[in-house]
Structure formats: C-alpha cells, structure tokens
Amino acid sequence: MSTSRAVAWEGFFNTRDLGGLPTKSGATTRHGAFFRAADLRFVTETGWAQARECGVRTVIDLRNADEIRPTETPLTAQAGSAQFAAASEGPATPAGVDRIEVPLDDIDDIGFWRHVNRERLNGSPLYYPVFLQRKAERCAAVIKAIARTDPGGVLFHCGAGRDRTGLVALLLLALADVEPQAIAADYIMSAEGLKALFAAMGTADQGPSIQAALADRGTTAEEAVIATLDGFDVERYLLSAGVTSDELGTVRDRMIERA
C-alpha cells in the first residue's frame, strides 16, 4: 500500500486520509471524507489551517473523559485501556471545526479491560473480536455520530490513533466494502506512524512489546485484522446495535468515490 495517504499537517501524528482504498466492487474510497489521527495536543495554528484547507470540518474524539481533561479519578489509568494522560490545557479546535466527544472504551467496565490486559490483547487487533462482541452499542454510537456530522471532512482520533481509531476505521472501511488486505495494511501503517508521537511524548515505542504478544499467539497485526473481518457482516452488526439504515447509507455514500 502506498503511504501517499499520510498527511503532514504541522503537529499532527499518525494521521492519514482513508481515501483511495480499493473496494471489492472495483470502486475506491473518497479522499477528504475521513481522516484518522492520534492525540492532537501538539497541533499548531498552522496545522489546523492545513487541516481546514484539506476539508476537515469535524473532529470526533474517541477518548475517555479523563484522557481529555485532568481528573482526580483516572479510570482509564486504573483499567489500563490507553496510553496518555490528559493534557493540562484540555482540548481545543479552531473556529469552523466542530468537536464531538464519543468515548468508545466504556471505561466504567473495568473488569472487561482488566481481562483484555490480563490476556495481553490490548494494543493490537487481538482485542477487536471481544470488543466487537461485548461493546456493540459503543461502536454504534460512533457510527451514528459520524452520520450526523455536517458536510465536510471528519477526523476521528484517540490517543495513539491506532486501536480505537483503528477499530472505527475498520468499521468504516468494511462498510464501504474495502478489501480486507487493504484494511489490514491501513492498520499496520500506525506502527511506523507512531514512532514520532512516542518520542514527542517522551515514552517508549510500544511496537516491540506488541509484536512479541502477537508472536506468542502465532500471528501478526495484519493477520489479526483479517481474522477479525473474516465472516464479519458489518451492516447486520451495526443495524443490530441500533444504527439505522439511513445512517448507514449516509456514511457509505460519504465513503465511496462515485464514477
């Protein structure tokens, strides 16, 4: 897969356009419709101007409340479901860019996250099947929020922009009927894209430990994504979770480049 979808807006990390990916019908996903990204705390005024110039009009923050703003009860840290503490200044977007918070994790279910971490599923697509099974309503809430956004590009992000963001990207791309190999290739682009963010945050690269956990199970990140998609009927899944047919149609129409 070409890395030409990666964007280099100032202060953005692990950020790329979900456009230009091949679907099973021979179409491609639309450029400028959806962008995935990591933590936005380093984005500069210039970076936001660049994002606006490329069409971004809505930011959807998938993080938990205590990742977004400092709190005395850091449930995310207790459960161990994510990487970065909240920035002291809190979130900000410029005029002309809407911001929506749709926490994906369901962090109140600490028992679930302790299980995920105990089994060494976190930080890789290994946790996707169990999350999809147990947290369908959380996935549906994100898709419904996306369907209701105003016209323009939608950028969604979490902390690293890899796992929660990767799961939402998987749902969107599967809904557009993108080839599973292309969805997997998009996911693994984060391994390289995250190195600069971890350096900026002053934390160690998680890549080696994640690869070790995958190797212990005899798989790779690419294989784990493809396994998640095997037999997965994304439309039936989302409809059963409460997304309407109209909402699915709206998202799909924004995803697909029409001839």
Side-chain angles (χ1 to χ4, degrees):
M1 173 176 294
S2 170
T3 59
S4 62
R5 295 184 301 108
V7 299
W9 308 328
E10 192 172 273
F12 284 82
F13 290 93
N14 193 27
T15 303
R16 52 192 175 274
D17 190 336
L18 291 186
L21 297 178
T23 72
K24 295 175 185 176
S25 65
T28 57
T29 53
R30 188 190 307 275
H31 284 286
F34 295 102
F35 300 86
R36 55 179 296 173
D39 193 303
L40 304 180
R41 72 182 68 195
F42 298 110
V43 178
T44 65
E45 184 176 338
T46 296
W48 280 121
Q50 292 169 324
R52 282 262 309 158
E53 185 177 354
C54 289
V56 173
R57 294 296 181 270
T58 302
V59 168
I60 295 182
D61 194 334
L62 303 173
R63 296 176 299 166
N64 306 309
D66 62 354
E67 295 176 88
I68 298 171
R69 301 170 189 84
T71 177
E72 295 180 1
T73 309
L75 290 177
T76 300
Q78 291 176 22
S81 71
Q83 172 75 8
F84 306 129
S88 57
E89 64 272 17
T93 53
V97 177
D98 294 332
R99 185 176 176 281
I100 305 169
E101 295 178 16
V102 191
L104 181 62
D105 271 347
D106 190 15
I107 197 61
D108 290 329
D109 191 353
I110 293 179
F112 171 80
W113 287 106
R114 286 177 176 167
H115 165 75
V116 167
N117 283 281
R118 184 169 58 249
E119 297 298 319
R120 297 175 69 201
L121 306 178
N122 207 0
S124 80
L126 290 173
Y127 94 94
Y128 283 176
V130 65
F131 189 92
L132 287 167
Q133 180 182 22
R134 293 275 299 275
K135 305 296 178 183
E137 77 285 355
R138 310 297 288 209
C139 297
V142 179
I143 300 302
K144 290 174 77 69
I146 289 172
R148 296 169 181 169
T149 57
D150 291 335
V154 176
L155 181 145
F156 55 96
H157 77 97
C158 55
R162 177 190 59 212
D163 300 311
R164 288 169 287 186
T165 298
L167 183 54
V168 172
L170 180 148
L171 292 169
L172 289 172
L173 295 174
L175 188 61
D177 210 23
V178 169
E179 295 282 358
Q181 292 80 6
I183 299 176
D186 176 72
Y187 178 91
I188 63 176
M189 286 177 69
S190 289
E192 186 65 31
L194 275 172
K195 291 179 179 179
L197 175 61
F198 286 134
M201 296 291 289
T203 61
D205 183 3
Q206 297 175 336
S209 62
I210 292 170
Q211 289 178 5
L214 287 160
D216 286 346
R217 291 175 178 266
T219 191
T220 64
E222 180 179 16
E223 291 169 348
V225 171
I226 291 173
T228 300
L229 291 164
D230 186 25
F232 179 56
D233 186 333
V234 65
E235 184 163 347
R236 178 181 297 177
Y237 173 81
L238 291 171
L239 287 170
S240 297
V243 183
T244 69
S245 296
D246 285 348
E247 288 167 337
L248 288 181
T250 295
V251 174
R252 187 182 284 114
D253 287 346
R254 292 173 76 164
M255 284 290 298
I256 303 297
E257 188 70 62
R258 303 298 180 186

